[in-house]
Amino acid sequence: MKKLIIILLSLLPMLAQAQGVERIYVSTDRSVYIAGDEIWCSLFCMDGDSRSLSSYSAVSYVELVSDEGTVATAKIGLMEGRGAGKFRIPTGTPTGNYKLLAYTAGYPDAFGPGAKTVSLFNTTTVARVKDGVEIVEEYKAEKSVSDSSDGVLTLSTREIPRAGKTFSVALKNNADAATLSFSVYEVDGIKEPAGNSLERFLGTLSSASGAQRSSKTGEYEGEIVYAAVEGLDPEQLKAITDQAVATLSSAGSPSDVYVGKVGENGRLMFFTNNIYGDRELVCEVAGKAGYISLMDPFRYPSVGGMEKLELSPALFGDLVQRKAALGTSLQVDTLVQFMPRRQDILLGNVQKKVYHLDDYTRFPSFQEVIVEIVREIRIRTFMGKHHLQMVVSDAVGSRRVVKENLLVMMDGVVISDLSLLENMDAMLLEDVELYGEDIAMGGLSYNGCVNFTTRKNYVKAMQFPSNVRVVDFKGVCYPVAYLGAPVRGTDHRPLLYWNPLLKLEAGESLVIPLTAPSRSGSFRMVAEGITLSGKPFREVFDFEIR
């Protein structure tokens, strides 16, 4: 229990940091996409009172919305007010203008001012946002961008860029330390939508104090997964309220195990430490009937009044070229330095012993593996059910302690019914991991842990009892960048570089080597961010590849 107390005490300062309303400004790699493209995002989560980056929330919710509703969603992790991720636009998304909205859980009306407008073209269907497209004969795209920020940054190319050759772009910070997103991309004959800016966004924060805050708990350590117990009548539900607990676990990671206590009306919460990536989660009401269903965290806001997208036959050639570039696979760089918050709270500091099962130590049955190989574990029967016990000896082997109440997992998934293990093909087992220390998890405590790892996450193929559900879960996006790695074959890349979490110290200069695509064209650099003193900026530099 000592470990649990320490964790809870560490959260108290964060609870005190609930400042003003959090509002999020969205920056993206580009402003024009086609259906099937990926949108790369950089988020600036600001505190509405101090007008500085917020250190409160650890997760944000992003929605791509038109006048007809939400077409895509994503979760992006936050650290000290900054976040990054990417998601794909569904291939069936209608042509039109869209808002990219981001918000945190506690503020239901705080997602408007920082929205990014993007234009989206569907090159495979005639689907269009209702009343959201205007057909025009004369079409003119504005190549120049007038946004200026008094020269906070200087952008330039170091040499004349040539198609298929290496060249460099340079950034110089003329102000104090800054955090920013930086993009290098192609601009063609398609008009970019009227954009927002950090400066205009910050000007809206003066009214943030009047925004409504929801009753949801602040997500200061990670996403709170809300759930409900289903499949029980009112009397059964009342009988387990404030008594039953439920577990939420993810295949492949012993650290993604969470416990929630069933409360009023069968509702419960799992306090996670941000589960990254799309996963299959296993949910169980421990030892009880009924099953868990997860609640949708997105708000699906209505935007309304979106500017119409202009569509013209003059865009045909540019859209064909963009569609040809759609299949280009970019080398993704995961920004691991942005992920220190992702810690193994459950087993991170617990020593483990591993038994690796090779061709000489495998047995066809689970019981034989325990008896012949894993000497610290034994199977005992109590009231007609099998239980695992752990036998731990002291340093000199003179004293043996039998530990009951073990947390048993397979591939990181909690297994409460040992018959699932006894009936499996034990030849699929790879390792047996033993954790001999006491573990506190939510409202439960265990005297140790055993995790059986298998080939190819076999646990996903198991047939669980009726009180267990395997559900698809949209986790937090990995913070990713594209740092300009060249591609094989014909190079049609419209995006040459994207760093969503770039930092520049006061007076620092940065030179970035890039490889030009195999064709000439017009390209643009955009740097957007905020300095340590709170000055927003957006610098744009256009150049030609010949």
Side-chain angles (χ1 to χ4, degrees):
M1 293 298 293
K2 186 183 294 183
K3 184 177 180 181
L4 177 61
I5 292 172
I6 292 173
I7 292 172
L8 291 175
L9 289 176
S10 70
L11 300 183
L12 293 179
M14 297 179 186
L15 287 169
Q17 292 176 11
Q19 305 166 354
V21 172
E22 287 182 317
R23 287 186 170 175
I24 298 178
Y25 179 80
V26 183
S27 177
T28 59
D29 60 314
R30 293 169 286 165
S31 297
V32 178
Y33 301 88
I34 65 172
D37 259 331
E38 288 182 323
I39 297 181
W40 303 60
C41 301
S42 177
L43 304 186
F44 297 80
C45 181
M46 310 298 294
D47 177 76
D49 289 344
S50 66
R51 291 164 55 91
S52 61
L53 291 168
S54 172
S55 59
Y56 186 56
S57 292
V59 64
S60 63
Y61 301 88
V62 179
E63 300 189 39
L64 185 63
V65 187
S66 74
D67 287 339
E68 294 185 315
T70 297
V71 297
T73 60
K75 299 172 187 173
I76 293 181
L78 297 171
M79 183 170 293
E80 306 302 327
R82 295 286 276 119
K86 70 181 178 74
F87 65 93
R88 190 171 296 279
I89 304 169
T91 55
T93 305
T95 296
N97 281 331
Y98 290 77
K99 290 283 189 183
L100 195 57
L101 308 168
Y103 51 90
T104 54
Y107 305 97
D109 63 345
F111 43 66
K116 171 73 177 281
T117 300
V118 298
S119 295
L120 195 152
F121 295 85
N122 195 313
T123 58
T124 57
T125 76
V126 296
R128 299 170 186 169
V129 174
K130 184 179 180 181
D131 298 325
V133 175
E134 181 181 0
I135 307 298
V136 297
E137 292 299 326
E138 294 187 9
Y139 184 92
K140 182 180 180 181
E142 298 178 5
K143 291 274 185 154
S144 61
V145 176
S146 59
D147 286 353
S148 175
S149 55
D150 301 324
V152 173
L153 295 186
T154 300
L155 308 180
S156 62
T157 56
R158 301 298 293 269
E159 59 271 316
I160 298 175
R162 304 287 185 182
K165 303 297 183 181
T166 300
F167 70 103
S168 298
V169 298
L171 302 85
K172 182 181 179 183
N173 184 6
N174 304 313
D176 57 345
T179 176
L180 62 142
S181 66
F182 180 59
S183 183
V184 183
Y185 63 94
E186 184 176 19
V187 288
D188 50 23
I190 300 178
K191 185 186 302 183
E192 293 191 349
N196 199 352
S197 72
L198 258 171
E199 185 173 11
R200 287 193 289 271
F201 164 68
L202 290 177
T204 68
L205 296 187
S206 58
S207 61
S209 58
Q212 176 188 359
R213 179 166 182 169
S214 79
S215 59
K216 283 191 174 184
T217 303
E219 296 178 302
Y220 42 82
E221 277 296 293
E223 182 186 0
I224 300 174
V225 178
Y226 290 83
V229 178
E230 307 281 357
L232 299 179
D233 61 39
E235 289 301 317
Q236 291 174 315
L237 195 59
K238 184 178 180 181
I240 69 170
T241 296
D242 294 329
Q243 296 181 4
V245 295
T247 59
L248 186 74
S249 48
S250 173
S253 175
S255 64
D256 280 332
V257 182
Y258 304 97
V259 169
K261 188 175 183 181
V262 179
E264 186 177 357
N265 298 322
R267 300 298 177 90
L268 64 157
M269 297 182 291
F270 298 99
F271 292 83
T272 81
N273 194 27
N274 276 355
I275 301 173
Y276 283 97
D278 293 345
R279 304 283 192 93
E280 287 183 330
L281 297 185
V282 179
C283 314
E284 177 180 2
V285 184
K288 304 289 183 179
Y291 59 89
I292 296 295
S293 65
L294 304 184
M295 300 174 67
D296 189 343
F298 295 97
R299 301 193 184 280
Y300 304 101
S302 174
V303 289
M306 193 84 71
E307 182 182 351
K308 290 186 178 182
L309 174 69
E310 291 186 354
L311 194 59
S312 168
L315 300 181
F316 179 79
D318 291 323
L319 291 175
V320 169
Q321 184 167 291
R322 284 178 178 256
K323 185 175 182 180
L326 188 61
T328 304
S329 179
L330 302 181
Q331 178 179 311
V332 175
D333 295 89
T334 302
L335 303 174
V336 293
Q337 73 273 16
F338 186 71
M339 303 174 68
R341 187 176 279 168
R342 183 64 180 147
Q343 300 170 353
D344 189 341
I345 292 180
L346 178 64
L347 300 171
N349 297 318
V350 181
Q351 294 294 320
K352 71 177 178 180
K353 181 176 181 180
V354 179
Y355 285 92
H356 178 66
L357 306 181
D358 54 27
D359 292 339
Y360 301 99
T361 57
R362 282 196 174 91
F363 289 87
S365 74
F366 169 77
Q367 191 158 0
E368 285 178 296
V369 171
I370 297 300
V371 173
E372 300 295 337
I373 304 299
V374 188
R375 300 302 174 86
E376 291 90 344
I377 299 295
R378 63 189 188 187
I379 302 176
R380 292 294 182 265
T381 303
F382 178 71
M383 296 184 65
K385 289 189 175 182
H386 295 316
H387 301 269
L388 289 186
Q389 295 179 338
M390 184 181 295
V391 182
V392 181
S393 301
D394 61 18
V396 296
S398 61
R399 181 171 173 269
R400 289 160 58 86
V401 177
V402 177
K403 292 195 170 188
E404 308 272 0
N405 188 31
L406 300 181
L407 174 63
V408 181
M409 295 187 288
M410 175 180 286
D411 298 325
V413 172
V414 176
I415 302 293
S416 59
D417 185 356
L418 286 189
S419 66
L420 295 173
L421 300 177
E422 295 167 354
N423 296 330
M424 72 170 290
D425 179 3
M427 299 296 286
L428 296 172
L429 290 174
E430 288 280 10
D431 295 292
V432 182
E433 301 171 346
L434 306 179
Y435 301 83
E437 299 180 29
D438 292 350
I439 298 168
M441 184 175 63
L444 302 180
S445 60
Y446 298 91
N447 299 125
C449 173
V450 185
N451 183 41
F452 299 93
T453 64
T454 68
R455 299 177 182 180
K456 298 181 180 180
N457 273 344
Y458 168 76
V459 70
K460 293 183 179 180
M462 297 182 73
Q463 296 296 316
F464 290 98
S466 59
N467 67 323
V468 179
R469 289 290 190 274
V470 180
V471 298
D472 292 328
F473 181 78
K474 180 187 289 292
V476 174
C477 297
Y478 290 99
V480 291
Y482 171 60
L483 303 183
V487 299
R488 295 179 179 179
T490 304
D491 189 348
H492 291 296
R493 286 174 301 150
L495 180 66
L496 303 188
Y497 186 89
W498 166 252
N499 191 331
L501 299 170
L502 187 59
K503 292 183 179 180
L504 288 178
E505 298 300 326
E508 181 181 0
S509 294
L510 179 65
V511 177
I512 302 172
L514 298 176
T515 300
S518 54
R519 67 178 185 279
S520 60
S522 299
F523 285 77
R524 175 170 292 161
M525 288 185 263
V526 178
E528 192 167 30
I530 189 168
T531 66
L532 189 64
S533 60
K535 181 176 179 57
F537 59 88
R538 186 176 192 270
E539 299 288 358
V540 178
F541 180 82
D542 288 347
F543 63 97
E544 297 290 326
I545 292 179
R546 301 177 182 177

